C-alpha cells in the first residue's frame, strides 16, 4: 500500500507540471455502468483480452522475449531464425495496456498477477542500455530481415524500432496509472532514455525519424506522466525533422516539414498517429506553427476525406487517404487502426481548442467505423471496414490476423473509453460523451462526484446527478452536431429530410432556458452553485435522418444514407427479401423505428430497378412492374454477425440513375487478409 501511495503521489506531482489547456478526467476516475458500453467492456475483459494474451503465447510473442533473454545471458542463438513481423513486440504491449485499463472497471488480482508475469519476461529481453527490440536482440548477427545490420539502420523504413517504442510507452503509462506499479514504466523509461541519448539534434547524435509514427504520442504521454521535459522535446524533434532526413515521401507524411502540411495524405494509420502527436505538441507547447498546421489538416479531413461512418483511409493501395472527395464504398479501406487514430487526433484537438466539433467527429467514428472493427462478442475482427459488401467478396470478421495490429489495437482501446467522457478547465466541467457512469474529479479545486444515467444511443435522454460534493462551476454539456442541419461542421454531408431537431434541459425539474444559455463552442453551459442532490435532465430529439453527400463525392451521387443520433445504419441481406443492391428508395421514404436490436424500416422502397433485363417484369400495358417493399436497416457496427450470404450497403439509391449504376462491380471489393504495417 505504501508503494502504491508513493507512486500515485509522484504521478500527481508530475502531472501538475505538464498539462493540456483542457484537462482530461482520467480513466481511473470513471466507472462505467452503461447499457450500450458495459457489455463491450465485459466482452473485452472476458473474451478479447484473454484471446489476445493467448495469441501472444501461441504465436511466439512471449517466446521472442525469452530468446532475447537467453542471448543476453550469453547463450548462442545464431541458429535461431527470427520470424514474424518486426513489430510483433507491440501486440504484447497493447494487450497489457488494454488489460491495465480493464482492471479499473473490473479489479482482478489474477489478471494483475498475470500481467506482472509477462512483464518479467519482457524485462529480461531488454538490453543493458535500455534498448528493447527482440527482432534484433534474439539474433544480433542475423536479425529480422527488416531490421538492418545495426541499430536504427532501417528505422525510417521497416524496422519499426521507434514504433515499438511508442506502443511500449503508451502501454507502460496506462499500466502505471492503473496500478501505481513502476515495473512496466521503468522498462519504458529505460528504452526512451536510450533513444533520447542516441537520436537527436546534436552533432554526435543520429538524425532520424520514425518510419511508422506513434513514438511521438508515446513520448508526450511519458512527459505527462513523469514531468520530464526531455520526452516532449524528443517528440517535437521527431516531428520537426520529418521531411528533412532521408525519408521524404507522402506515404509516410515525410514529403515536406509537418508545419507546412495542409492535407491528409499517405498511410492513414501513420498519418493519424502523426497528427495526434502534432496535436499533443501543439497543445503542450503552444507552438503556433503546429496549431495552424494541424488545424488545416483536420479541416481537410472533415471537409473532404471523412466517411459518413467517421472512417478515414479510402485506398487499399498504401492503406492510404485518397484524393479530395475520393470516398468509394465497396473498396473503402478504413482500417480499424486508422479509426482509433482518428479518435486520438480529435480527442487531442479538443484538449487544445475546447470545441465540440472535435467530439462530433470522435463520437461518429467511435459508434460506427471503430466498433465495427470488433464483433459484439469480442472475438471477431475486421481489418478494413467497407461501406458496401457483396456475397461473392467472402468478407467476414476474422478470429485473428498474422499482422495483429488491429485486434490488439482495439483490445487496448475499448477498455480506455472511460477516459474520454469528461474534461475540466478551471471552473468548468465538460460532459463530452453520454453513457452511464459514476465519476469523481476536481472542478475549480473542489472534489465532486457525478452520476450519469442514459440509454444513449437508443434515446436522447440523459440524467446527470451530483452525488457528492458542492461548488460554483459551469457544467458544459455537448450539444451533438447531428442535432443541426449537417452531420459535421462541413459541407461534406447534409440532412435532406427538412426535419428540425432540438434539445431541452431541466435543472432540478425546472426548465432551463436554453435560448438564454451560454451556447458557446457547441456546449450548453449551466453556471450555478451545485450541491449534492442537484439533477440535470437533458433531452436530445432523436429521429431517423436522411443524409446526402456533397455532389463532389462521385461514389454517393443519387444515394442517401440513414442515421439516427450518432449511429449510421446499413441495409443487410438477412433482414430483406431481395438483393440489397436492387432496391431504390422512395423519394420520401417513411422511416420508422423497430425493435431491438435497434432497427429502422424504410417503407415504399421499390425493386428490381437495378436487376438485369432478363429478370424485369412487364405488364400487358407494356409498363415495367416494380414491387413495393419495406427495407430494414441495422446499425452499421452490427453488420456481419449472421454469416455472409448476401450484401450490405450504407449508401442506398434514391435516384434511378444511381440505382442503375453498377457501382459494386466498378469498385474493387475490399479483401480481408493481411495488409501489413
Amino acid at each position: 500500500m505504501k508503494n502504491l501511495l508513493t507512486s500515485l503521489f509522484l504521478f500527481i506531482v508530475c502531472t501538475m507540471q505538464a498539462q493540456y489547456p483542457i484537462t482530461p478526467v482520467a480513466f481511473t476516475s470513471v466507472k462505467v455502468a452503461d447499457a450500450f458500453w458495459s457489455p463491450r467492456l465485459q466482452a473485452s475483459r472476458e473474451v478479447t483480452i484473454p484471446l489476445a494474451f493467448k495469441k501472444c503465447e501461441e504465436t511466439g510473442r512471449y517466446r521472442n522475449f525469452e530468446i532475447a533473454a537467453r542471448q543476453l545471458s550469453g547463450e548462442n542463438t545464431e541458429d535461431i531464425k527470427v520470424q514474424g513481423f518486426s513489430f510483433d513486440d507491440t501486440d504484447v504491449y497493447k494487450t497489457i495496456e488494454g488489460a491495465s485499463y480493464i482492471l479499473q472497471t473490473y479489479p482482478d488480482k489474477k489478471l494483475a498477477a498475470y500481467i506482472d508475469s509477462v512483464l518479467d519476461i519482457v524485462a529480461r529481453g531488454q538490453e543493458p542500455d535500455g534498448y528493447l527490440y527482440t527482432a534484433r536482440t534474439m539474433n544480433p548477427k542475423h536479425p529480422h530481415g527488416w531490421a538492418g545490420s545495426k541499430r536504427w539502420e532501417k528505422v525510417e523504413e521497416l524496422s519499426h524500432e521507434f514504433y515499438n517504442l511508442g506502443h511500449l510507452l503508451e502501454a507502460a503509462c496506462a499500466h502505471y496509472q492503473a496500478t501505481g506499479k513502476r515495473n512496466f514504466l521503468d522498462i519504458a523509461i529505460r528504452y526512451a532514455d536510450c533513444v533520447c541519448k542516441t537520436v537527436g539534434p546534436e552533432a554526435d547524435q543520429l538524425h532520424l525519424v520514425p518510419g511508422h509514427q506513434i513514438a511521438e504520442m508515446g513520448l508526450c504521454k511519458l512527459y505527462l506522466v513523469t514531468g520530464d521535459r526531455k520526452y516532449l522535446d524528443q517528440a517535437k524533434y521527431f516531428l520537426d525533422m520529418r521531411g528533412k532526413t532521408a525519408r521524404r515521401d507522402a506515404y509516410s507524411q515525410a514529403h515536406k516539414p509537418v508545419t507546412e502540411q495542409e492535407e491528409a495524405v499517405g498511410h492513414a494509420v501513420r498519418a493519424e498517429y502523426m497528427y495526434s502527436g502534432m496535436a499533443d505538441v501543439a497543445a503542450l507547447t503552444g507552438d503556433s506553427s503546429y496549431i495552424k498546421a494541424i488545424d488545416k489538416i483536420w479541416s481537410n479531413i472533415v471537409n473532404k476525406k471523412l466517411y459518413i461512418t467517421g472512417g478515414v483511409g479510402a485506398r487499399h493501395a498504401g492503406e492510404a487517404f485518397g484524393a479530395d472527395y475520393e470516398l468509394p464504398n465497396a473498396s473503402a479501406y478504413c482500417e480499424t487502426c486508422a479509426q482509433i487514430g482518428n479518435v486520438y487526433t480529435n480527442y487531442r484537438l479538443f484538449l487544445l481548442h475546447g470545441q465540440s466539433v472535435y467530439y462530433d467527429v470522435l463520437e461518429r467514428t467511435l459508434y460506427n467505423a471503430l466498433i465495427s472493427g470488433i464483433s459484439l462478442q469480442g472475438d471477431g475482427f475486421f481489418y478494413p471496414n467497407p461501406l458496401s459488401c457483396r456475397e461473392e467478396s467472402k468478407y467476414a470478421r476474422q478470429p485473428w490476423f498474422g499482422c495483429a495490429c488491429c485486434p490488439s489495437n482495439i483490445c487496448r482501446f475499448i477498455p480506455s473509453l472511460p477516459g474520454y467522457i469528461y474534461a475540466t478547465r478551471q471552473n468548468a466541467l465538460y460532459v463530452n460523451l453520454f453513457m452511464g457512469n459514476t465519476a469523481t474529479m476536481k472542478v475549480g479545486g473542489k472534489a465532486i462526484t457525478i452520476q450519469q444515467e442514459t440509454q444513449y444511443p437508443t434515446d436522447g435522454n440523459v440524467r446527470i446527478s451530483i452525488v457528492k460534493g458542492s461548488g460554483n462551476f459551469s457544467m458544459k454539456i455537448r450539444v451533438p452536431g447531428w442535432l443541426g442541419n449537417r452531420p459535421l461542421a462541413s459541407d461534406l454531408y447534409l440532412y435532406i429530410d427538412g426535419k428540425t431537431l432540438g434539445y431541452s434541459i431541466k435543472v432540478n425539474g425546472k426548465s432551463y432556458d436554453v435560448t438564454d444559455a451560454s451556447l458557446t463552442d457547441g456546449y450548453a453551459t449551466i453556471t450555478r452553485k451545485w450541491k449534492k442532490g442537484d439533477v440535470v435532465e437533458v433531452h436530445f430529439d432523436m429521429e431517423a435522418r436522411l443524409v446526402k453527400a456533397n455532389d463532389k463525392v462521385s461514389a454517393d451521387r443519387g444515394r442517401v444514407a440513414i442515421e439516427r443520433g450518432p449511429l449510421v445504419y446499413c441495409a443487410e441481406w438477412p433482414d430483406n427479401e431481395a438483393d440489397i443492391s436492387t432496391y431504390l428508395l422512395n423519394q420520401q421514404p417513411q422511416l420508422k423505428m423497430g425493435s431491438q436490436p435497434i432497427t429502422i424500416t424504410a417503407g415504399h422502397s421499390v425493386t428490381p430497378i437495378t436487376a438485369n433485363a432478363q429478370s424485369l417484369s412487364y405488364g400487358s400495358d407494356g409498363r415495367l412492374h416494380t414491387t413495393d417493399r419495406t427495407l430494414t436497416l441495422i446499425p452499421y457496427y452490427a453488420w456481419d454477425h449472421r454469416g455472409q450470404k448476401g450484401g450490405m450497403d450504407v449508401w442506398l439509391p434514391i435516384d434511378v440513375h444511381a440505382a442503375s449504376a453498377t457501382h459494386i462491380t466498378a469498385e474493387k471489393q475490399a479483401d480481408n487478409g493481411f495488409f501489413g504495417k
Side-chain angles (χ1 to χ4, degrees):
M1 177 60 71
K2 182 178 178 181
N3 289 338
L4 175 60
L5 291 175
T6 299
S7 295
L8 290 175
F9 173 75
L10 289 173
F11 168 70
I12 293 169
V13 171
C14 290
T15 51
M16 287 174 62
Q17 304 171 27
Q19 290 290 347
Y20 295 101
I22 293 175
T23 304
V25 173
F27 71 93
T28 52
S29 299
V30 183
K31 305 294 183 184
V32 170
D34 181 75
F36 186 87
W37 287 106
S38 289
R40 286 157 179 79
L41 290 167
Q42 188 170 350
S44 290
R45 176 202 179 200
E46 297 178 357
V47 179
T48 313
I49 290 171
L51 173 64
F53 277 133
K54 181 180 179 183
K55 290 295 182 180
C56 286
E57 294 179 11
E58 293 176 349
T59 59
R61 265 59 166 177
Y62 298 159
R63 176 177 172 272
N64 291 347
F65 290 96
E66 291 169 343
I67 295 172
R70 285 160 47 193
Q71 192 279 329
L72 291 172
S73 68
E75 183 177 330
N76 186 345
T77 58
E78 291 183 26
D79 292 336
I80 292 176
K81 180 176 176 57
V82 181
Q83 298 177 320
F85 296 104
S86 59
F87 45 83
D88 281 349
D89 292 354
T90 64
D91 295 328
V92 177
Y93 305 151
K94 286 184 279 185
T95 306
I96 293 175
E97 182 178 352
S100 299
Y101 287 126
I102 210 70
L103 284 173
Q104 284 296 308
T105 306
Y106 302 102
D108 186 331
K109 292 182 179 179
K110 185 176 179 180
L111 176 59
Y114 179 81
I115 292 172
D116 285 341
S117 71
V118 174
L119 290 175
D120 287 342
I121 297 172
V122 171
R124 291 196 295 270
Q126 187 168 32
E127 297 193 19
D129 66 349
Y131 183 75
L132 183 53
Y133 178 65
T134 67
R136 180 181 311 283
T137 306
M138 281 192 284
N139 189 345
K141 292 186 178 180
H142 306 287
H144 192 282
W146 293 356
S149 60
K150 57 185 178 181
R151 290 184 184 182
W152 328 118
E153 185 177 66
K154 292 188 177 181
V155 74
E156 294 189 353
E157 300 171 35
L158 288 170
S159 79
H160 290 78
E161 285 156 287
F162 293 160
Y163 174 80
N164 286 17
L165 168 69
H167 274 300
L168 173 63
L169 298 178
E170 291 265 305
C173 290
H175 179 262
Y176 173 61
Q177 289 174 278
T179 67
K181 298 178 183 178
R182 291 191 60 101
N183 50 341
F184 200 9
L185 185 65
D186 288 340
I187 294 170
I189 287 174
R190 291 181 63 219
Y191 190 17
D193 288 348
C194 173
V195 172
C196 290
K197 179 180 179 180
T198 307
V199 181
E202 303 302 325
D204 61 345
Q205 291 180 300
L206 299 174
H207 308 308
L208 298 166
V209 298
H212 192 309
Q213 302 93 312
I214 198 176
E216 302 87 344
M217 291 171 56
L219 286 161
C220 287
K221 187 165 287 187
L222 187 61
Y223 163 62
L224 287 166
V225 167
T226 65
D228 192 330
R229 176 77 188 201
K230 73 179 177 184
Y231 301 125
L232 176 60
D233 292 342
Q234 188 71 27
K236 191 172 186 298
Y237 170 80
F238 279 151
L239 290 166
D240 286 345
M241 287 296 292
R242 202 153 201 91
K244 301 175 184 179
T245 66
R247 189 75 190 256
R248 300 192 178 189
D249 59 313
Y251 170 81
S252 64
Q253 300 76 42
H255 54 301
K256 60 176 70 174
V258 297
T259 54
E260 297 177 17
Q261 296 186 31
E262 300 179 350
E263 179 183 3
V265 298
H267 189 277
V269 182
R270 296 168 188 244
E272 289 289 0
Y273 286 172
M274 187 183 86
Y275 303 153
S276 297
M278 289 175 65
D280 273 332
V281 169
L284 295 170
T285 68
D287 189 312
S288 61
S289 63
Y290 271 81
I291 295 172
K292 290 178 182 177
I294 191 59
D295 285 350
K296 287 180 179 178
I297 292 169
W298 182 86
S299 179
N300 174 252
I301 294 173
V302 173
N303 281 278
K304 300 175 181 178
K305 296 185 177 182
L306 188 72
Y307 280 94
I308 188 66
T309 58
V312 292
R315 295 179 180 174
H316 274 234
E319 304 178 319
F321 282 99
D324 290 349
Y325 303 107
E326 181 186 343
L327 295 167
N329 294 309
S331 63
Y333 199 68
C334 291
E335 181 182 340
T336 297
C337 284
Q339 314 327 307
I340 293 171
N342 196 33
V343 166
Y344 290 156
T345 300
N346 281 277
Y347 177 59
R348 286 157 172 78
L349 284 170
F350 162 75
L351 296 177
L352 171 62
H353 292 302
Q355 297 172 359
S356 69
V357 291
Y358 304 110
Y359 257 90
D360 288 341
V361 178
L362 186 157
E363 181 183 64
R364 180 169 294 271
T365 304
L366 174 64
Y367 278 93
N368 300 288
L370 194 156
I371 58 174
S372 165
I374 186 170
S375 67
L376 295 171
Q377 297 79 15
D379 60 355
F381 308 91
F382 279 149
Y383 206 112
N385 293 272
L387 282 73
S388 179
C389 187
R390 287 295 162 275
E391 179 182 5
E392 58 270 19
S393 72
K394 306 299 181 186
Y395 202 93
R397 288 188 179 85
Q398 301 298 307
W400 205 252
F401 299 99
C403 171
C405 59
C406 290
S408 59
N409 216 1
I410 205 163
C411 172
R412 77 177 177 126
F413 178 82
I414 295 294
S416 75
L417 193 60
Y420 291 85
I421 303 173
Y422 302 108
T424 63
R425 186 178 202 174
Q426 297 173 347
N427 289 325
L429 166 64
Y430 292 84
V431 181
N432 283 316
L433 293 178
F434 308 109
M435 64 182 72
N437 70 85
T438 301
T440 300
M441 71 285 288
K442 281 194 173 182
V443 187
K446 298 289 187 66
I448 192 162
T449 300
I450 66 173
Q451 182 180 48
Q452 189 179 154
E453 301 167 273
T454 182
Q455 294 298 310
Y456 194 92
T458 303
D459 67 37
N461 297 315
V462 182
R463 178 185 173 93
I464 303 169
S465 307
I466 308 295
V467 298
K468 187 177 181 181
S470 62
N472 288 298
F473 64 89
S474 297
M475 185 182 294
K476 301 177 76 67
I477 301 168
R478 182 174 66 91
V479 179
W482 50 259
L483 281 171
N485 62 353
R486 295 181 178 183
L488 297 166
S490 74
D491 66 354
L492 188 55
Y493 302 106
L494 179 70
Y495 293 122
I496 59 170
D497 47 35
K499 296 178 180 178
T500 300
L501 303 187
Y503 70 99
S504 61
I505 296 176
K506 291 181 179 180
V507 178
N508 295 331
K510 296 181 179 180
S511 294
Y512 188 82
D513 191 348
V514 294
T515 59
D516 293 335
S518 178
L519 184 59
T520 57
D521 294 328
Y523 290 88
T525 303
I526 308 169
T527 301
R528 57 180 277 124
K529 183 175 182 179
W530 299 91
K531 63 183 184 303
K532 180 181 177 180
D534 285 345
V535 175
V536 177
E537 296 171 281
V538 184
H539 170 77
F540 300 124
D541 291 343
M542 192 176 280
E543 297 184 25
R545 308 294 304 271
L546 284 180
V547 184
K548 177 183 178 294
N550 189 304
D551 285 340
K552 293 178 182 178
V553 183
S554 60
D556 299 334
R557 288 179 194 147
R559 299 177 180 278
V560 294
I562 295 172
E563 61 181 53
R564 182 178 182 273
L567 299 179
V568 174
Y569 281 72
C570 67
E572 193 183 18
W573 69 272
D575 308 301
N576 298 285
E577 301 175 49
D579 183 346
I580 299 300
S581 66
T582 69
Y583 281 79
L584 172 65
L585 284 182
N586 187 288
Q587 290 285 311
Q588 295 179 334
Q590 303 299 309
L591 304 178
K592 298 180 180 180
M593 283 295 297
S595 59
Q596 297 289 346
I598 312 168
T599 61
I600 291 178
T601 58
H604 308 300
S605 301
V606 296
T607 188
I609 291 297
T610 62
N612 61 55
Q614 293 180 347
S615 67
L616 295 179
S617 174
Y618 293 87
S620 59
D621 58 0
R623 293 177 179 272
L624 173 67
H625 282 189
T626 61
T627 305
D628 280 350
R629 297 186 187 276
T630 298
L631 187 66
T632 299
L633 301 103
I634 63 171
Y636 171 75
Y637 70 77
W639 82 280
D640 189 45
H641 281 86
R642 296 169 289 184
Q644 182 57 33
K645 297 180 180 178
M648 180 279 292
D649 281 303
V650 169
W651 288 97
L652 305 165
I654 201 168
D655 179 272
V656 68
H657 297 96
S660 61
T662 55
H663 71 290
I664 293 297
T665 56
E667 294 181 19
K668 177 184 175 185
Q669 176 64 55
D671 299 315
N672 200 30
F674 162 66
F675 300 92
K677 299 302 295 172

